[in-house]
Amino acid sequence: PLCLIMLRFCFGFDIVIYDSSTDKKTQEIVDTYQENGYENVIYCRYVDPEGDIYGCKKVREALVECGKSYDYVWLCGDTTMLKIEDYSDSIRSLMDEKYDVIHIYNNNIGEESRRDIDYREFFVDFFWSMTHWCSSILSSKLIKEMEPWLDFYSRQEFLSTIVYAIYAALANQDYKIAY
C-alpha cells in the first residue's frame, strides 16, 4: 500500500493509506489501529487501473487528493518511512516558514542542510535523491501546481512521474526549497 503522511499543526499527523493489494491484510491492520483509538490512520481502498504496474496513477491520485485536504504531504512507499521524531524540529521550523519542498535524505550525498535553494541548483544537486521514496515533504500549494504535470507525465508512463512534476512546477513559480 501507499502511505501518505499528512503533517498537521506542529505535532500531529494523519496517515492515509492507499491500498491496492489483492488481500485484506492491510485493511485488517488499519482496522485494528482504528479500533484502538487511532483516528489519524485513514484507509482508502484503491483499485489499480490496468497497465499501471508501477502504481504511478495511484501515487498521482493520492498526492492530489491529499494535497486538497492538508497543508503538507509526505509521500512514502510500502517499506520506506523515515522516523518523524528524528527530523521533527527541523520539519516544524520549515513548515512554520512555509517551505514548499522539504527534502529529507539521510544517505551521505556530501551535502549539508541548507535553505532557500534555487530550483536549478536543487535539480542539479538533488535529482537522484528525489527519486527515492519518502525523500520530500511537499506543500499543498506546490502539489496543486504539479497537477497538470502529473497528468502529462502519467500519460508518458514515466516511472519518476512525481519527480518530473515537482521540477516542472518549481520552474514556473517562486517556491521555497530546503534540504
Side-chain angles (χ1 to χ4, degrees), residues 59-60 63 73-75 100-104 117-120 122-123 126-139 141-154 158 160-178:
V59 172
R60 181 237 173 263
L63 188 62
V73 178
W74 193 354
L75 183 64
D100 297 292
V101 177
I102 303 169
H103 185 54
I104 303 168
I117 304 169
D118 178 78
Y119 77 90
R120 292 168 291 235
F122 184 68
F123 184 80
F126 298 102
F127 181 81
W128 173 246
S129 60
M130 289 287 292
T131 64
H132 293 222
W133 282 106
C134 203
S135 66
S136 293
I137 299 170
L138 306 174
S139 73
K141 172 184 161 188
L142 178 63
I143 294 168
K144 184 176 182 180
E145 294 299 321
M146 288 170 54
E147 194 169 350
W149 294 107
L150 288 165
D151 293 339
F152 174 77
Y153 290 120
S154 291
F158 289 143
S160 295
T161 302
I162 300 296
V163 179
Y164 291 130
I166 290 170
Y167 284 111
L170 288 176
N172 287 314
Q173 285 196 29
D174 221 8
Y175 290 101
K176 291 178 74 172
I177 305 169

Short mmCIF file of all heavy atoms in Angstrom, two decimals, residues 59-60 63 73-75 100-104 117-120 122-123 126-139 141-154 158 160-178:
data_model
loop_
_atom_site.label_atom_id
_atom_site.label_comp_id
_atom_site.label_asym_id
_atom_site.label_seq_id
_atom_site.Cartn_x
_atom_site.Cartn_y
_atom_site.Cartn_z
N VAL A 59 -0.26 6.91 -7.10
CA VAL A 59 0.53 7.96 -6.45
C VAL A 59 -0.01 9.33 -6.83
O VAL A 59 -0.18 10.20 -5.99
CB VAL A 59 2.02 7.82 -6.82
CG1 VAL A 59 2.81 9.01 -6.32
CG2 VAL A 59 2.58 6.53 -6.25
N ARG A 60 -0.31 9.53 -8.11
CA ARG A 60 -0.83 10.81 -8.57
C ARG A 60 -2.15 11.13 -7.86
O ARG A 60 -2.34 12.21 -7.34
CB ARG A 60 -1.04 10.78 -10.09
CG ARG A 60 -1.57 12.06 -10.67
CD ARG A 60 -2.89 11.76 -11.43
NE ARG A 60 -3.52 12.98 -11.86
CZ ARG A 60 -4.50 13.57 -11.19
NH1 ARG A 60 -4.96 13.09 -10.07
NH2 ARG A 60 -5.03 14.68 -11.64
N LEU A 63 -1.63 11.79 -4.04
CA LEU A 63 -0.95 13.06 -3.79
C LEU A 63 -1.89 14.24 -4.02
O LEU A 63 -1.99 15.14 -3.19
CB LEU A 63 0.28 13.16 -4.68
CG LEU A 63 1.22 14.32 -4.41
CD1 LEU A 63 1.81 14.24 -3.01
CD2 LEU A 63 2.33 14.34 -5.45
N VAL A 73 2.16 17.19 2.51
CA VAL A 73 2.03 15.77 2.26
C VAL A 73 3.43 15.17 2.19
O VAL A 73 4.30 15.67 1.48
CB VAL A 73 1.28 15.47 0.95
CG1 VAL A 73 1.20 13.98 0.69
CG2 VAL A 73 -0.12 16.09 0.98
N TRP A 74 3.62 14.09 2.93
CA TRP A 74 4.88 13.35 2.90
C TRP A 74 4.57 11.99 2.30
O TRP A 74 3.92 11.16 2.93
CB TRP A 74 5.41 13.21 4.31
CG TRP A 74 6.82 12.75 4.44
CD1 TRP A 74 7.67 12.33 3.45
CD2 TRP A 74 7.55 12.66 5.65
NE1 TRP A 74 8.88 11.99 3.97
CE2 TRP A 74 8.84 12.18 5.33
CE3 TRP A 74 7.25 12.92 6.99
CZ2 TRP A 74 9.83 11.98 6.28
CZ3 TRP A 74 8.24 12.72 7.93
CH2 TRP A 74 9.50 12.26 7.58
N LEU A 75 4.97 11.78 1.09
CA LEU A 75 4.67 10.57 0.34
C LEU A 75 5.66 9.47 0.70
O LEU A 75 6.87 9.68 0.62
CB LEU A 75 4.75 10.89 -1.16
CG LEU A 75 4.42 9.82 -2.16
CD1 LEU A 75 2.95 9.43 -2.04
CD2 LEU A 75 4.71 10.31 -3.56
N ASP A 100 8.04 25.04 0.56
CA ASP A 100 7.21 24.23 -0.34
C ASP A 100 7.78 22.84 -0.58
O ASP A 100 7.04 21.89 -0.82
CB ASP A 100 7.03 24.95 -1.67
CG ASP A 100 6.30 26.26 -1.49
OD1 ASP A 100 5.10 26.20 -1.15
OD2 ASP A 100 6.93 27.32 -1.64
N VAL A 101 9.10 22.73 -0.56
CA VAL A 101 9.76 21.44 -0.68
C VAL A 101 10.71 21.32 0.51
O VAL A 101 11.58 22.16 0.70
CB VAL A 101 10.59 21.31 -1.99
CG1 VAL A 101 11.31 19.97 -2.03
CG2 VAL A 101 9.70 21.47 -3.21
N ILE A 102 10.48 20.29 1.30
CA ILE A 102 11.37 19.97 2.40
C ILE A 102 11.97 18.61 2.04
O ILE A 102 11.30 17.58 2.17
CB ILE A 102 10.63 19.93 3.74
CG1 ILE A 102 9.92 21.26 4.00
CG2 ILE A 102 11.59 19.57 4.87
CD1 ILE A 102 8.94 21.24 5.16
N HIS A 103 13.18 18.64 1.54
CA HIS A 103 13.82 17.42 1.06
C HIS A 103 14.63 16.81 2.20
O HIS A 103 15.47 17.46 2.80
CB HIS A 103 14.73 17.74 -0.13
CG HIS A 103 15.35 16.54 -0.76
ND1 HIS A 103 14.61 15.47 -1.20
CD2 HIS A 103 16.64 16.24 -1.01
CE1 HIS A 103 15.42 14.56 -1.71
NE2 HIS A 103 16.67 15.01 -1.61
N ILE A 104 14.33 15.55 2.51
CA ILE A 104 14.98 14.84 3.60
C ILE A 104 15.62 13.60 2.99
O ILE A 104 14.94 12.77 2.40
CB ILE A 104 13.96 14.41 4.67
CG1 ILE A 104 13.22 15.62 5.20
CG2 ILE A 104 14.65 13.63 5.77
CD1 ILE A 104 12.02 15.28 6.03
N ILE A 117 17.13 27.25 -1.45
CA ILE A 117 17.88 26.72 -2.58
C ILE A 117 17.17 27.12 -3.87
O ILE A 117 15.95 26.95 -4.00
CB ILE A 117 17.99 25.19 -2.49
CG1 ILE A 117 18.61 24.78 -1.16
CG2 ILE A 117 18.76 24.62 -3.66
CD1 ILE A 117 18.52 23.29 -0.87
N ASP A 118 17.90 27.61 -4.84
CA ASP A 118 17.35 27.90 -6.16
C ASP A 118 16.95 26.57 -6.81
O ASP A 118 17.66 25.57 -6.68
CB ASP A 118 18.41 28.61 -7.02
CG ASP A 118 17.91 28.88 -8.41
OD1 ASP A 118 17.15 29.85 -8.59
OD2 ASP A 118 18.26 28.09 -9.33
N TYR A 119 15.81 26.56 -7.52
CA TYR A 119 15.32 25.30 -8.07
C TYR A 119 16.30 24.67 -9.05
O TYR A 119 16.39 23.45 -9.15
CB TYR A 119 13.93 25.49 -8.72
CG TYR A 119 13.95 26.14 -10.07
CD1 TYR A 119 14.04 25.38 -11.23
CD2 TYR A 119 13.88 27.52 -10.20
CE1 TYR A 119 14.06 25.97 -12.47
CE2 TYR A 119 13.89 28.12 -11.43
CZ TYR A 119 14.00 27.34 -12.57
OH TYR A 119 14.01 27.94 -13.80
N ARG A 120 17.06 25.47 -9.78
CA ARG A 120 18.03 24.90 -10.72
C ARG A 120 19.16 24.20 -9.96
O ARG A 120 19.57 23.10 -10.34
CB ARG A 120 18.59 25.99 -11.63
CG ARG A 120 17.52 26.55 -12.59
CD ARG A 120 18.02 27.80 -13.25
NE ARG A 120 18.11 28.86 -12.26
CZ ARG A 120 17.54 30.04 -12.36
NH1 ARG A 120 16.86 30.35 -13.44
NH2 ARG A 120 17.65 30.94 -11.42
N PHE A 122 18.84 23.03 -6.96
CA PHE A 122 18.18 21.88 -6.34
C PHE A 122 18.13 20.71 -7.32
O PHE A 122 18.42 19.57 -6.97
CB PHE A 122 16.78 22.29 -5.88
CG PHE A 122 16.04 21.23 -5.14
CD1 PHE A 122 16.45 20.81 -3.89
CD2 PHE A 122 14.90 20.66 -5.69
CE1 PHE A 122 15.75 19.82 -3.19
CE2 PHE A 122 14.20 19.68 -5.01
CZ PHE A 122 14.63 19.27 -3.76
N PHE A 123 17.78 20.99 -8.56
CA PHE A 123 17.71 19.95 -9.57
C PHE A 123 19.07 19.28 -9.76
O PHE A 123 19.17 18.06 -9.77
CB PHE A 123 17.22 20.54 -10.90
CG PHE A 123 17.01 19.51 -11.97
CD1 PHE A 123 15.88 18.73 -11.99
CD2 PHE A 123 17.97 19.33 -12.95
CE1 PHE A 123 15.69 17.78 -12.97
CE2 PHE A 123 17.79 18.38 -13.94
CZ PHE A 123 16.65 17.59 -13.95
N PHE A 126 20.13 17.46 -6.24
CA PHE A 126 19.26 16.51 -5.54
C PHE A 126 18.37 15.66 -6.43
O PHE A 126 17.53 14.93 -5.91
CB PHE A 126 18.40 17.26 -4.52
CG PHE A 126 19.21 17.96 -3.47
CD1 PHE A 126 19.42 19.32 -3.55
CD2 PHE A 126 19.78 17.24 -2.43
CE1 PHE A 126 20.18 19.97 -2.58
CE2 PHE A 126 20.54 17.88 -1.47
CZ PHE A 126 20.74 19.25 -1.54
N PHE A 127 18.53 15.72 -7.75
CA PHE A 127 17.62 14.94 -8.59
C PHE A 127 17.63 13.47 -8.21
O PHE A 127 16.59 12.86 -8.02
CB PHE A 127 17.92 15.10 -10.08
CG PHE A 127 16.97 14.31 -10.93
CD1 PHE A 127 15.72 14.81 -11.22
CD2 PHE A 127 17.28 13.04 -11.38
CE1 PHE A 127 14.80 14.09 -11.97
CE2 PHE A 127 16.38 12.29 -12.13
CZ PHE A 127 15.14 12.82 -12.42
N TRP A 128 18.81 12.88 -8.09
CA TRP A 128 18.87 11.45 -7.80
C TRP A 128 18.20 11.12 -6.47
O TRP A 128 17.41 10.18 -6.38
CB TRP A 128 20.31 10.95 -7.79
CG TRP A 128 20.37 9.53 -7.33
CD1 TRP A 128 20.95 9.07 -6.20
CD2 TRP A 128 19.78 8.40 -7.96
NE1 TRP A 128 20.76 7.70 -6.08
CE2 TRP A 128 20.04 7.27 -7.16
CE3 TRP A 128 19.04 8.21 -9.11
CZ2 TRP A 128 19.61 5.98 -7.47
CZ3 TRP A 128 18.60 6.93 -9.43
CH2 TRP A 128 18.89 5.84 -8.62
N SER A 129 18.50 11.88 -5.44
CA SER A 129 17.91 11.56 -4.14
C SER A 129 16.41 11.82 -4.12
O SER A 129 15.69 11.23 -3.31
CB SER A 129 18.61 12.31 -3.01
OG SER A 129 18.53 13.70 -3.17
N MET A 130 15.91 12.66 -5.01
CA MET A 130 14.46 12.90 -5.11
C MET A 130 13.72 11.68 -5.65
O MET A 130 12.52 11.55 -5.48
CB MET A 130 14.16 14.10 -6.01
CG MET A 130 14.53 15.43 -5.41
SD MET A 130 13.41 15.92 -4.11
CE MET A 130 11.91 16.20 -5.03
N THR A 131 14.43 10.77 -6.32
CA THR A 131 13.76 9.60 -6.87
C THR A 131 13.50 8.53 -5.81
O THR A 131 12.80 7.57 -6.07
CB THR A 131 14.59 8.97 -8.01
OG1 THR A 131 15.83 8.48 -7.48
CG2 THR A 131 14.84 9.96 -9.13
N HIS A 132 14.02 8.72 -4.62
CA HIS A 132 13.82 7.75 -3.54
C HIS A 132 12.52 8.07 -2.80
O HIS A 132 12.24 9.20 -2.47
CB HIS A 132 14.99 7.81 -2.56
CG HIS A 132 16.26 7.33 -3.18
ND1 HIS A 132 17.13 6.53 -2.52
CD2 HIS A 132 16.80 7.55 -4.41
CE1 HIS A 132 18.16 6.26 -3.31
NE2 HIS A 132 17.98 6.88 -4.45
N TRP A 133 11.75 7.03 -2.53
CA TRP A 133 10.50 7.22 -1.80
C TRP A 133 10.78 7.87 -0.45
O TRP A 133 11.77 7.58 0.19
CB TRP A 133 9.80 5.89 -1.57
CG TRP A 133 9.08 5.40 -2.77
CD1 TRP A 133 9.47 4.38 -3.59
CD2 TRP A 133 7.87 5.90 -3.29
NE1 TRP A 133 8.55 4.23 -4.59
CE2 TRP A 133 7.56 5.15 -4.43
CE3 TRP A 133 7.01 6.93 -2.91
CZ2 TRP A 133 6.42 5.38 -5.19
CZ3 TRP A 133 5.88 7.15 -3.66
CH2 TRP A 133 5.59 6.38 -4.79
N CYS A 134 9.89 8.70 -0.05
CA CYS A 134 9.90 9.31 1.27
C CYS A 134 10.96 10.39 1.40
O CYS A 134 11.36 10.76 2.48
CB CYS A 134 10.08 8.25 2.35
SG CYS A 134 9.46 8.76 3.95
N SER A 135 11.43 10.94 0.30
CA SER A 135 12.51 11.91 0.40
C SER A 135 12.01 13.35 0.53
O SER A 135 12.82 14.22 0.86
CB SER A 135 13.43 11.80 -0.81
OG SER A 135 12.74 12.17 -2.00
N SER A 136 10.74 13.62 0.28
CA SER A 136 10.30 15.01 0.31
C SER A 136 8.92 15.19 0.91
O SER A 136 8.02 14.38 0.70
CB SER A 136 10.27 15.60 -1.11
OG SER A 136 11.57 15.70 -1.61
N ILE A 137 8.79 16.29 1.62
CA ILE A 137 7.51 16.76 2.11
C ILE A 137 7.14 17.92 1.20
O ILE A 137 7.95 18.83 0.99
CB ILE A 137 7.61 17.23 3.57
CG1 ILE A 137 8.03 16.06 4.47
CG2 ILE A 137 6.28 17.84 4.03
CD1 ILE A 137 8.38 16.47 5.88
N LEU A 138 5.95 17.89 0.63
CA LEU A 138 5.53 18.90 -0.35
C LEU A 138 4.35 19.71 0.18
O LEU A 138 3.44 19.17 0.79
CB LEU A 138 5.12 18.22 -1.66
CG LEU A 138 6.16 17.28 -2.29
CD1 LEU A 138 5.57 16.59 -3.49
CD2 LEU A 138 7.43 18.04 -2.64
N SER A 139 4.36 21.01 -0.13
CA SER A 139 3.24 21.86 0.28
C SER A 139 2.06 21.64 -0.65
O SER A 139 2.21 21.26 -1.82
CB SER A 139 3.65 23.33 0.24
OG SER A 139 3.78 23.78 -1.10
N LYS A 141 0.33 23.92 -1.89
CA LYS A 141 0.48 24.92 -2.95
C LYS A 141 1.26 24.32 -4.13
O LYS A 141 0.84 24.44 -5.28
CB LYS A 141 1.20 26.14 -2.38
CG LYS A 141 1.59 27.19 -3.39
CD LYS A 141 2.39 28.29 -2.70
CE LYS A 141 3.19 29.09 -3.71
NZ LYS A 141 4.11 30.03 -3.05
N LEU A 142 2.36 23.67 -3.84
CA LEU A 142 3.16 23.05 -4.91
C LEU A 142 2.42 21.90 -5.56
O LEU A 142 2.41 21.76 -6.78
CB LEU A 142 4.51 22.58 -4.36
CG LEU A 142 5.42 21.88 -5.38
CD1 LEU A 142 5.80 22.81 -6.51
CD2 LEU A 142 6.65 21.33 -4.69
N ILE A 143 1.76 21.07 -4.76
CA ILE A 143 1.02 19.93 -5.31
C ILE A 143 -0.03 20.39 -6.30
O ILE A 143 -0.21 19.80 -7.37
CB ILE A 143 0.40 19.08 -4.18
CG1 ILE A 143 1.51 18.43 -3.35
CG2 ILE A 143 -0.56 18.04 -4.74
CD1 ILE A 143 1.03 17.82 -2.04
N LYS A 144 -0.72 21.47 -5.98
CA LYS A 144 -1.73 22.00 -6.89
C LYS A 144 -1.10 22.41 -8.23
O LYS A 144 -1.65 22.14 -9.29
CB LYS A 144 -2.44 23.19 -6.26
CG LYS A 144 -3.57 23.73 -7.11
CD LYS A 144 -4.31 24.84 -6.42
CE LYS A 144 -5.45 25.29 -7.32
NZ LYS A 144 -6.22 26.36 -6.73
N GLU A 145 0.05 23.03 -8.18
CA GLU A 145 0.74 23.43 -9.40
C GLU A 145 1.33 22.23 -10.15
O GLU A 145 1.54 22.29 -11.35
CB GLU A 145 1.85 24.44 -9.08
CG GLU A 145 1.34 25.75 -8.55
CD GLU A 145 0.43 26.49 -9.52
OE1 GLU A 145 0.70 26.48 -10.75
OE2 GLU A 145 -0.58 27.06 -9.07
N MET A 146 1.57 21.15 -9.44
CA MET A 146 2.11 19.94 -10.05
C MET A 146 1.06 19.16 -10.83
O MET A 146 1.39 18.37 -11.71
CB MET A 146 2.68 19.01 -8.97
CG MET A 146 3.96 19.45 -8.34
SD MET A 146 4.38 18.44 -6.89
CE MET A 146 4.33 16.76 -7.53
N GLU A 147 -0.20 19.37 -10.51
CA GLU A 147 -1.27 18.52 -11.05
C GLU A 147 -1.25 18.37 -12.57
O GLU A 147 -1.29 17.24 -13.08
CB GLU A 147 -2.63 18.99 -10.55
CG GLU A 147 -3.71 17.99 -10.78
CD GLU A 147 -5.00 18.34 -10.06
OE1 GLU A 147 -5.01 19.26 -9.22
OE2 GLU A 147 -5.99 17.67 -10.35
N PRO A 148 -1.17 19.45 -13.35
CA PRO A 148 -1.13 19.24 -14.80
C PRO A 148 0.12 18.48 -15.26
O PRO A 148 0.06 17.70 -16.21
CB PRO A 148 -1.17 20.64 -15.40
CG PRO A 148 -1.04 21.60 -14.27
CD PRO A 148 -1.22 20.85 -13.00
N TRP A 149 1.21 18.68 -14.56
CA TRP A 149 2.44 17.96 -14.90
C TRP A 149 2.33 16.49 -14.52
O TRP A 149 2.83 15.62 -15.25
CB TRP A 149 3.65 18.61 -14.22
CG TRP A 149 3.89 19.99 -14.74
CD1 TRP A 149 3.65 21.16 -14.09
CD2 TRP A 149 4.38 20.33 -16.03
NE1 TRP A 149 3.98 22.22 -14.91
CE2 TRP A 149 4.43 21.74 -16.10
CE3 TRP A 149 4.80 19.60 -17.13
CZ2 TRP A 149 4.88 22.41 -17.23
CZ3 TRP A 149 5.24 20.27 -18.26
CH2 TRP A 149 5.27 21.66 -18.30
N LEU A 150 1.68 16.21 -13.42
CA LEU A 150 1.45 14.81 -13.05
C LEU A 150 0.64 14.11 -14.13
O LEU A 150 0.94 12.97 -14.51
CB LEU A 150 0.72 14.73 -11.71
CG LEU A 150 1.53 15.08 -10.48
CD1 LEU A 150 0.61 15.31 -9.28
CD2 LEU A 150 2.55 14.00 -10.18
N ASP A 151 -0.39 14.79 -14.63
CA ASP A 151 -1.20 14.21 -15.71
C ASP A 151 -0.37 13.99 -16.96
O ASP A 151 -0.43 12.93 -17.59
CB ASP A 151 -2.39 15.12 -16.02
CG ASP A 151 -3.38 15.20 -14.87
OD1 ASP A 151 -3.38 14.29 -14.02
OD2 ASP A 151 -4.14 16.18 -14.82
N PHE A 152 0.43 14.99 -17.33
CA PHE A 152 1.26 14.89 -18.53
C PHE A 152 2.24 13.73 -18.42
O PHE A 152 2.31 12.88 -19.31
CB PHE A 152 2.02 16.21 -18.75
CG PHE A 152 3.01 16.13 -19.88
CD1 PHE A 152 2.60 16.18 -21.20
CD2 PHE A 152 4.37 15.98 -19.61
CE1 PHE A 152 3.51 16.09 -22.23
CE2 PHE A 152 5.29 15.89 -20.63
CZ PHE A 152 4.87 15.94 -21.95
N TYR A 153 3.00 13.67 -17.33
CA TYR A 153 4.00 12.62 -17.19
C TYR A 153 3.36 11.25 -16.98
O TYR A 153 3.94 10.24 -17.39
CB TYR A 153 4.99 12.96 -16.08
CG TYR A 153 5.89 14.10 -16.46
CD1 TYR A 153 5.92 15.27 -15.71
CD2 TYR A 153 6.69 14.04 -17.59
CE1 TYR A 153 6.73 16.33 -16.07
CE2 TYR A 153 7.50 15.10 -17.97
CZ TYR A 153 7.52 16.24 -17.20
OH TYR A 153 8.32 17.29 -17.58
N SER A 154 2.18 11.19 -16.40
CA SER A 154 1.48 9.91 -16.27
C SER A 154 1.13 9.35 -17.65
O SER A 154 1.25 8.15 -17.88
CB SER A 154 0.20 10.07 -15.45
OG SER A 154 0.49 10.33 -14.12
N PHE A 158 6.15 7.56 -17.44
CA PHE A 158 7.45 7.67 -16.79
C PHE A 158 7.36 7.11 -15.38
O PHE A 158 6.37 7.30 -14.69
CB PHE A 158 7.90 9.13 -16.70
CG PHE A 158 8.29 9.75 -18.00
CD1 PHE A 158 7.99 11.07 -18.26
CD2 PHE A 158 8.97 9.02 -18.97
CE1 PHE A 158 8.36 11.66 -19.46
CE2 PHE A 158 9.34 9.60 -20.17
CZ PHE A 158 9.03 10.92 -20.41
N SER A 160 9.33 8.06 -12.87
CA SER A 160 9.60 9.15 -11.92
C SER A 160 8.62 10.30 -12.12
O SER A 160 9.00 11.46 -12.08
CB SER A 160 11.05 9.63 -12.06
OG SER A 160 11.94 8.62 -11.71
N THR A 161 7.36 9.96 -12.31
CA THR A 161 6.31 10.95 -12.56
C THR A 161 6.32 12.06 -11.53
O THR A 161 6.25 13.24 -11.87
CB THR A 161 4.93 10.26 -12.56
OG1 THR A 161 4.93 9.24 -13.56
CG2 THR A 161 3.82 11.23 -12.83
N ILE A 162 6.43 11.71 -10.27
CA ILE A 162 6.38 12.70 -9.18
C ILE A 162 7.56 13.65 -9.28
O ILE A 162 7.41 14.86 -9.21
CB ILE A 162 6.35 12.00 -7.80
CG1 ILE A 162 5.14 11.11 -7.66
CG2 ILE A 162 6.43 13.03 -6.68
CD1 ILE A 162 3.81 11.83 -7.70
N VAL A 163 8.75 13.10 -9.46
CA VAL A 163 9.95 13.94 -9.51
C VAL A 163 9.90 14.90 -10.68
O VAL A 163 10.16 16.10 -10.53
CB VAL A 163 11.23 13.08 -9.58
CG1 VAL A 163 12.47 13.95 -9.65
CG2 VAL A 163 11.30 12.14 -8.38
N TYR A 164 9.53 14.42 -11.85
CA TYR A 164 9.44 15.30 -13.02
C TYR A 164 8.42 16.40 -12.79
O TYR A 164 8.64 17.55 -13.14
CB TYR A 164 9.08 14.50 -14.27
CG TYR A 164 10.17 13.57 -14.75
CD1 TYR A 164 9.88 12.25 -15.04
CD2 TYR A 164 11.48 14.01 -14.91
CE1 TYR A 164 10.87 11.38 -15.48
CE2 TYR A 164 12.47 13.15 -15.35
CZ TYR A 164 12.16 11.84 -15.63
OH TYR A 164 13.14 10.99 -16.07
N ALA A 165 7.30 16.04 -12.21
CA ALA A 165 6.25 17.03 -11.96
C ALA A 165 6.70 18.08 -10.94
O ALA A 165 6.37 19.26 -11.06
CB ALA A 165 4.97 16.34 -11.49
N ILE A 166 7.44 17.66 -9.93
CA ILE A 166 7.97 18.61 -8.94
C ILE A 166 8.85 19.63 -9.64
O ILE A 166 8.68 20.85 -9.47
CB ILE A 166 8.76 17.89 -7.83
CG1 ILE A 166 7.82 17.08 -6.93
CG2 ILE A 166 9.57 18.90 -7.00
CD1 ILE A 166 8.53 16.15 -5.97
N TYR A 167 9.78 19.16 -10.44
CA TYR A 167 10.70 20.09 -11.10
C TYR A 167 10.01 20.97 -12.13
O TYR A 167 10.34 22.14 -12.27
CB TYR A 167 11.88 19.33 -11.71
CG TYR A 167 12.85 18.92 -10.64
CD1 TYR A 167 13.01 17.58 -10.28
CD2 TYR A 167 13.58 19.87 -9.94
CE1 TYR A 167 13.89 17.22 -9.29
CE2 TYR A 167 14.46 19.51 -8.94
CZ TYR A 167 14.61 18.19 -8.62
OH TYR A 167 15.48 17.83 -7.62
N ALA A 168 9.04 20.43 -12.85
CA ALA A 168 8.31 21.25 -13.81
C ALA A 168 7.56 22.37 -13.10
O ALA A 168 7.56 23.52 -13.55
CB ALA A 168 7.35 20.38 -14.63
N ALA A 169 6.92 22.05 -11.98
CA ALA A 169 6.19 23.07 -11.23
C ALA A 169 7.15 24.08 -10.60
O ALA A 169 6.88 25.29 -10.60
CB ALA A 169 5.32 22.42 -10.15
N LEU A 170 8.27 23.61 -10.07
CA LEU A 170 9.24 24.52 -9.45
C LEU A 170 9.76 25.55 -10.44
O LEU A 170 10.03 26.69 -10.07
CB LEU A 170 10.43 23.74 -8.87
CG LEU A 170 10.18 22.92 -7.61
CD1 LEU A 170 11.43 22.14 -7.23
CD2 LEU A 170 9.72 23.79 -6.46
N ALA A 171 9.88 25.16 -11.69
CA ALA A 171 10.44 26.06 -12.70
C ALA A 171 9.48 27.18 -13.09
O ALA A 171 9.90 28.16 -13.70
CB ALA A 171 10.82 25.25 -13.95
N ASN A 172 8.22 27.05 -12.73
CA ASN A 172 7.22 28.02 -13.18
C ASN A 172 6.83 29.06 -12.15
O ASN A 172 6.07 29.97 -12.47
CB ASN A 172 5.96 27.29 -13.66
CG ASN A 172 6.21 26.61 -14.98
OD1 ASN A 172 6.77 27.21 -15.89
ND2 ASN A 172 5.83 25.35 -15.08
N GLN A 173 7.29 28.94 -10.93
CA GLN A 173 6.94 29.91 -9.89
C GLN A 173 8.07 29.99 -8.88
O GLN A 173 9.02 29.22 -8.92
CB GLN A 173 5.65 29.50 -9.18
CG GLN A 173 4.42 29.74 -10.00
CD GLN A 173 3.19 29.68 -9.12
OE1 GLN A 173 3.22 29.97 -7.95
NE2 GLN A 173 2.06 29.32 -9.72
N ASP A 174 7.91 30.91 -7.96
CA ASP A 174 8.87 31.07 -6.89
C ASP A 174 8.44 30.21 -5.71
O ASP A 174 7.40 30.45 -5.12
CB ASP A 174 8.89 32.54 -6.49
CG ASP A 174 10.29 33.04 -6.22
OD1 ASP A 174 11.25 32.29 -6.49
OD2 ASP A 174 10.43 34.17 -5.73
N TYR A 175 9.26 29.22 -5.37
CA TYR A 175 8.96 28.34 -4.25
C TYR A 175 10.13 28.33 -3.29
O TYR A 175 11.28 28.54 -3.68
CB TYR A 175 8.70 26.91 -4.73
CG TYR A 175 7.42 26.77 -5.49
CD1 TYR A 175 7.41 26.72 -6.88
CD2 TYR A 175 6.21 26.69 -4.82
CE1 TYR A 175 6.22 26.58 -7.57
CE2 TYR A 175 5.01 26.55 -5.52
CZ TYR A 175 5.03 26.50 -6.89
OH TYR A 175 3.87 26.36 -7.57
N LYS A 176 9.83 28.01 -2.05
CA LYS A 176 10.86 27.90 -1.03
C LYS A 176 11.28 26.44 -0.90
O LYS A 176 10.43 25.57 -0.69
CB LYS A 176 10.36 28.44 0.31
CG LYS A 176 10.15 29.94 0.31
CD LYS A 176 9.60 30.43 1.62
CE LYS A 176 10.71 30.41 2.65
NZ LYS A 176 10.33 31.06 3.93
N ILE A 177 12.58 26.19 -1.03
CA ILE A 177 13.11 24.84 -1.04
C ILE A 177 14.19 24.72 0.04
O ILE A 177 15.04 25.59 0.16
CB ILE A 177 13.73 24.51 -2.41
CG1 ILE A 177 12.71 24.74 -3.54
CG2 ILE A 177 14.25 23.08 -2.43
CD1 ILE A 177 13.31 24.68 -4.93
N ALA A 178 14.16 23.62 0.77
CA ALA A 178 15.18 23.35 1.79
C ALA A 178 15.59 21.90 1.75
O ALA A 178 14.82 21.02 1.37
CB ALA A 178 14.64 23.71 3.18
#
